[in-house]
């Protein structure tokens, strides 16, 4: 009995499991009809494998690049922030309302105060600075009392003396290190926001 | 990462491209423009249209790299988009006008000649080349007679050397369907080419 066309095709393609491959090969060796089918497949595969690949016109790559957005994708922090951003116009309107609504009564109160004959911007400013100074004074009093009662004042004064004892060269070195470290950390944060991490999976 | 020194994987290049590296995009283009263009060209059999569709494929892929699922091969994804675009375009055409010899948009004999799929010389021997050219053109013609689905499957298998599993991924059909497509395509090719008596 001859082998099926499907088996012969798989044999020619080398896709038969080992045992089946051996059995089929044995049959084909002794059967001219099956051998010619396998030969036909081999010839077809060889002819198909000879088919060349074609090249597009020379300007192809440039044309594609011209239509490609080359800006980097937002980094993970920006992506994280983005999920809180409204996606629709309605969303933006609601966000705006959420921000503006609490501000409205305050703006109303300010408007009312400004229409009051005795209240001028200058008098309001004086009142506000007076309140601020008073608050600062009372805070300072509380802080000094707390420091005195807990003995922290001694520590702070000791630290101040110690700092004065540091030679100015050391302070210069410290200042230089800070001058390098601060921009470096700012740069790192910016990179983190702008560059996607390599191993983050953005599958959908 | 120096692309000239390190043979980067497709996935490396994608990661780099996503940071905005034009070099990475160009490397991906170098790797895939011929395979993608050849597939699309043999599908639509019109150079100009094939060029447009291949360009569309790359632009679509490059501008949506964030949608690439690294679980899959990049080649599967780009072939999938290319073959979908080509098959969509073929469906929009009138069914019986897929031209074998050149663009059906060609109106003069010169245009027909210019848009025909021709086989270029690969070896020095002119006699052998003529024979090979004839065979090559017969095969191109026979491929053109296949249904678009059979054509995609057979081209991915034999020109691109893709595994059956990857072809199933590209075409979005079960593995068994791919096997059937390829089996039937080969049967049709053998029948069409029977008169040629191709020998190994
Ligand atoms: Zn037999």
């Amino acid at each position: 009995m001859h082998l099926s066309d499907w088996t012969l095709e798989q044999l020619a393609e080398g896709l038969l499991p080992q045992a089946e491959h051996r059995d089929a090969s044995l049959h084909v060796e002794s059967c001219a009809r099956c051998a010619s089918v396998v030969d036909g497949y081999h010839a077809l595969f060889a002819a198909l494998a000879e088919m060349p690949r074609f090249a597009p016109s020379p300007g192809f790559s440039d044309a594609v690049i011209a239509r490609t957005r080359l800006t980097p994708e937002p980094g993970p922090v920006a992506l994280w922030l983005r999920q809180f951003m409204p996606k629709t116009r309605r969303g933006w309107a609601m966000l705006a309302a959420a921000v503006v609504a609490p501000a409205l009564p305050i703006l109303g109160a300010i408007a009312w105060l400004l229409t009051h004959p005795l209240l001028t911007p200058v008098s309001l400013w004086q009142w506000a600075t007076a309140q601020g100074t008073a608050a600062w004074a009372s805070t300072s009093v509380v802080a000094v009392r707390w420091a005195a009662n807990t003995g922290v004042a001694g520590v702070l004064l000791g630290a101040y003396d110690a700092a004065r004892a540091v030679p100015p060269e050391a302070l210069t070195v410290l200042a230089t290190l800070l001058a390098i470290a601060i921009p470096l950390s700012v740069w790192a944060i910016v990179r983190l926001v702008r560059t996607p991490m390599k191993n983050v999976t953005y599958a959908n | 990462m120096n692309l000239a020194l390190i043979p980067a994987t497709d996935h490396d290049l994608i990661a780099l491209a996503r940071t905005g590296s034009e070099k990475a995009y160009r490397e991906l283009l170098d790797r895939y423009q011929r395979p993608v263009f050849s597939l699309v060209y043999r599908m639509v059999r019109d150079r100009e249209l094939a060029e447009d569709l291949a360009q569309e494929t790359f632009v679509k892929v490059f501008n949506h790299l964030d949608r690439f699922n690294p679980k899959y091969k990049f080649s599967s994804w780009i072939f999938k988009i290319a073959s979908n675009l080509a098959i969509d375009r073929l469906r929009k055409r009138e069914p019986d006008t897929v031209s074998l010899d050149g663009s059906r948009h060609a109106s003069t004999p010169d245009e027909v000649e210019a848009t025909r799929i021709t086989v270029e010389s690969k070896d020095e021997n002119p006699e052998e080349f003529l024979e090979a050219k004839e065979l090559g053109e017969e095969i191109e013609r026979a491929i053109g007679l296949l249904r678009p689905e059979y054509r995609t499957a057979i081209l991915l298998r034999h020109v691109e050397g893709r595994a059956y599993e990857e072809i199933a991924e590209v075409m979005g059909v079960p593995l068994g369907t791919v096997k059937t497509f390829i089996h039937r395509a080969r049967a049709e090719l053998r029948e069409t080419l029977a008169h040629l008596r191709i020998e190994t």
Side-chain angles (χ1 to χ4, degrees):
Chain A
M1 204 177 72
H2 294 300
L3 296 172
S4 74
D5 202 40
W6 177 243
T7 306
L8 293 170
E9 183 181 342
Q10 283 187 294
L11 176 69
E13 209 174 1
L15 293 179
L16 282 182
Q18 208 176 352
E20 277 185 66
H21 183 94
R22 199 185 48 229
D23 294 347
S25 302
L26 273 177
H27 173 84
V28 168
E29 271 171 35
S30 59
C31 173
R33 184 195 165 276
C34 287
S36 85
V37 174
V38 172
D39 284 348
Y41 275 118
H42 279 145
L44 179 66
F45 297 164
L48 288 169
E50 284 283 294
M51 285 169 75
R53 277 179 177 162
F54 299 108
S57 62
F60 185 82
S61 292
D62 290 334
V64 170
I65 292 294
R67 291 175 63 196
T68 300
R69 280 192 307 271
L70 292 173
T71 45
E73 280 173 30
V77 175
L79 281 177
W80 179 80
L81 284 174
R82 189 176 285 179
Q83 66 185 336
F84 301 109
M85 290 294 192
K87 309 239 169 357
T88 58
R89 205 173 289 174
R90 193 182 132 89
W92 278 106
M94 287 176 71
L95 180 70
V99 172
V100 172
L104 279 177
I106 297 167
L107 288 173
I110 292 170
W112 176 78
L113 285 172
L114 289 177
T115 56
H116 202 281
L118 290 181
L119 294 172
T120 61
V122 174
S123 72
L124 277 175
W125 175 249
Q126 282 169 349
W127 177 80
T129 46
Q131 293 300 310
T133 312
W136 177 241
S138 62
T139 312
S140 309
V141 168
V142 169
V144 167
R145 266 187 208 152
W146 173 79
N149 287 341
T150 56
V152 171
V155 174
L156 288 177
L157 284 174
Y160 177 67
D161 282 344
R164 274 166 54 108
V166 172
E169 297 81 26
L171 284 176
T172 315
V173 170
L174 192 69
T176 313
L177 283 178
L178 280 175
I180 296 167
I182 291 170
L184 201 69
S185 72
V186 170
W187 173 82
I189 290 167
V190 169
R191 284 283 304 208
L192 185 64
V193 172
R194 289 179 55 93
T195 318
M197 279 191 277
K198 248 199 184 155
N199 297 327
V200 175
T201 305
Y202 298 94
N204 59 328
Chain B
M1 197 188 305
N2 191 334
L3 293 181
L5 297 177
I6 305 162
T9 65
D10 287 355
H11 286 74
D12 290 340
L13 289 172
I14 291 164
L16 208 56
R18 292 178 66 181
T19 67
S21 159
E22 183 179 328
K23 216 170 162 187
Y25 282 109
R26 286 195 183 271
E27 176 64 28
L28 285 169
L29 267 164
D30 280 351
R31 286 185 190 183
Y32 287 100
Q33 58 176 320
R34 278 169 155 264
V36 165
F37 176 73
S38 301
L39 177 72
V40 172
Y41 184 25
R42 287 194 167 103
M43 293 297 292
V44 301
R45 308 179 80 75
D46 176 330
R47 200 167 224 290
E48 214 177 303
L49 179 59
E51 192 120 354
D52 285 352
L53 291 175
Q55 210 189 95
E56 205 59 46
T57 301
F58 278 100
V59 170
K60 218 169 166 176
V61 163
F62 284 178
N63 285 337
H64 294 105
L65 283 182
D66 56 329
R67 292 191 198 158
F68 173 61
N69 186 340
K71 241 174 41 191
Y72 299 106
K73 281 181 155 186
F74 178 71
S75 57
S76 306
W77 190 42
I78 197 164
F79 281 133
K80 188 188 191 82
I81 289 174
S83 69
N84 283 348
L85 283 173
I87 288 177
D88 280 354
R89 187 56 65 102
L90 288 174
R91 288 202 182 117
K92 279 187 200 144
R93 282 189 187 175
E94 299 93 293
D96 59 356
T97 47
V98 176
S99 163
L100 300 183
D101 291 320
S103 169
R104 66 184 193 86
H105 307 292
S107 48
T108 66
D110 280 351
E111 277 177 36
V112 169
E113 190 53 40
T115 56
R116 189 170 125 135
I117 294 188
T118 50
V119 177
E120 279 153 44
S121 172
K122 279 202 293 187
D123 47 57
E124 301 298 309
N125 186 331
E127 241 170 74
E128 261 178 44
F129 168 63
L130 273 182
E131 238 169 73
K133 181 183 161 84
E134 212 170 287
L135 174 62
E137 282 171 10
E138 287 285 352
I139 288 172
E140 296 289 359
R141 193 186 293 265
I143 296 253
L145 285 170
L146 298 172
R147 278 169 46 172
E149 289 80 6
Y150 291 4
R151 217 183 299 169
T152 310
I154 208 89
L155 290 171
L156 286 171
R157 178 77 192 128
H158 288 289
V159 181
E160 296 308 327
R162 299 289 150 179
Y164 282 75
E165 289 78 9
E166 192 183 347
I167 300 171
E169 232 170 72
V170 170
M171 298 184 74
V173 296
L175 187 59
T177 309
V178 171
K179 288 183 177 167
T180 309
F181 281 175
I182 290 179
H183 177 68
R184 293 204 181 136
R186 284 172 182 161
E188 284 183 25
L189 288 176
R190 281 169 71 201
E191 202 172 311
T192 315
L193 298 170
H195 67 282
L196 280 177
R197 209 168 41 88
I198 36 179
E199 276 150 36
T200 34

